[in-house]
Amino acid sequence: MPKNNRGPQAYQNTRKYKHNKNSKKTKKIMDSPNVGVCPRCRDQIQWRKDFRKYKPLTRPRRCGDCRIPKIRFAYHTICEECATERNVCAKCLKSDPNLIPFQQEEEEQVDLSHLRERERRTVLRKMEQAELEEDETFDVEEILDEMDEKMAIDEANRFGF
């Protein structure tokens, strides 16, 4: 039979968990920023990271406001756009003047995870070439469109169309 005693938990963590310092998952978790939240929620998320309780998202979650799967950070309940529009914490939904703002990513930081390995390496190689040449007119979408056209032509030639 369970006891109905109310009160603090019996065994509380008194020191931080020692992470496996060579783990890729640990590095990814520790490098993920605590943004778009109030200081209280930031501390809660940081506690989860410190005591190995943080569980990162494997795919985007559905926003509680606009119902579109755009949430990229674990423990957030609304997406970046809705949180900045309403000026509230993305986790607890409370308005706070000390909100930690979302970081604006550079335009070159494009999500390449949906690409195949071959396409990803092509895009990264062309990005490096553009940096070396200091070409300011580099566009990732343009490269992807060119690659799609080449693939369509290759498939048409292969099947005799």
Side-chain angles (χ1 to χ4, degrees), residues 56-110:
L57 293 178
T58 56
R59 60 189 177 113
R61 281 187 50 206
R62 188 176 302 272
C63 174
D65 213 22
C66 63
R67 302 283 184 217
I68 301 172
K70 293 192 291 186
I71 299 176
R72 298 181 304 137
F73 300 109
Y75 308 105
H76 287 202
T77 55
I78 59 175
C79 62
E80 293 179 27
E81 290 84 17
C82 296
T84 54
E85 180 182 307
R86 292 173 47 188
N87 197 24
V88 295
C89 173
K91 183 176 181 285
C92 66
L93 304 180
K94 293 181 182 173
S95 182
D96 190 344
N98 300 327
L99 282 177
I100 301 163
F102 284 102
Q103 297 171 348
Q104 299 298 326
E105 296 180 7
E106 297 178 16
E107 294 179 14
E108 289 185 22
Q109 297 295 333
V110 178

Side-chain angles (χ1 to χ4, degrees), residues 19-32 52 54-58:
H19 295 284
N20 177 3
K21 51 184 169 176
N22 296 327
S23 169
K24 290 181 182 178
K25 185 176 182 180
T26 299
K27 288 179 184 174
K28 182 181 177 185
I29 288 173
M30 294 311 248
D31 290 342
S32 65
R52 192 66 172 197
Y54 186 88
K55 185 178 177 197
L57 293 178
T58 56

